């Protein structure tokens, strides 16, 4: 289960999505490599949420996870599995859509996309 607790516009032109992933099942969850997406640079950096995206439907633009100068995502990394009932906090940073945009669609591989509201 993916839980989004906040989607905040930061002063530096970023949007940060905070939340958690939780294994609600009774078996370990090992499908986390899909969360990093399939882009070569992100895949080479190991387990991450690098496959996440924000979509501005109104502005018809997709925003991908920000990266540092070494190509690593500005997002949660290192989740290789989730034990039964385990919940892990997550974050993902994106370039901010234009100021007037208050709703975007958040997507992460293996989860349904969801419309989320950007707060200041």
């Amino acid at each position: 289960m993916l839980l989004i607790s906040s989607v905040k516009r930061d002063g530096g032109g970023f949007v940060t999505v905070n939340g958690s992933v939780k294994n609600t099942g009774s078996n370990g969850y090992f499908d986390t490599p899909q969360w990093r997406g399939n882009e070569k640079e992100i895949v080479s950096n190991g387990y991450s949420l690098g496959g996440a995206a924000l979509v501005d439907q109104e502005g018809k633009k997709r925003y991908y996870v920000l990266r540092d100068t070494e190509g690593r995502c500005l997002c949660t990394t290192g989740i290789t599995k989730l034990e039964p009932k385990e919940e892990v906090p997550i974050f993902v940073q994106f370039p901010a859509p234009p100021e007037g945009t208050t709703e975007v669609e958040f997507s992460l591989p293996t989860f349904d996309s969801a419309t989320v509201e950007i707060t200041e």
Side-chain angles (χ1 to χ4, degrees):
M1 176 179 353
L2 174 65
L3 305 165
I4 302 296
S5 56
S6 68
V7 181
K8 292 187 178 178
R9 188 182 300 272
D10 301 328
F14 309 110
V15 167
T16 302
V17 176
N18 287 292
S20 62
V21 288
K22 183 176 182 177
N23 180 355
T24 58
S26 56
N27 296 314
Y29 181 81
F30 297 92
D31 206 14
T32 64
Q34 289 191 55
W35 297 348
R36 67 183 170 203
N38 58 10
E39 188 180 331
K40 185 178 178 182
E41 186 176 52
I42 290 289
V43 168
S44 68
N45 287 309
Y47 293 87
S48 75
L49 302 185
L54 289 181
V55 177
D56 174 3
Q57 297 286 355
E58 191 173 307
K60 297 182 181 2
K61 189 164 183 180
R62 179 180 297 271
Y63 297 89
Y64 296 101
V65 178
L66 289 170
R67 301 188 191 154
D68 67 13
T69 57
E70 295 176 8
R72 293 181 301 240
C73 74
L74 297 179
C75 64
T76 300
T77 61
I79 302 173
T80 58
K81 67 177 180 175
L82 290 171
E83 296 294 341
K85 311 301 180 203
E86 181 179 15
E87 186 171 358
V88 177
I90 59 139
F91 82 97
V92 188
Q93 264 193 332
F94 300 93
E99 286 292 327
T101 304
T102 58
E103 282 191 351
V104 290
E105 187 176 280
F106 177 80
S107 65
L108 181 65
T110 75
F111 294 97
D112 291 335
S113 296
T115 300
V116 294
E117 184 178 347
I118 300 173
T119 61
E120 301 298 320

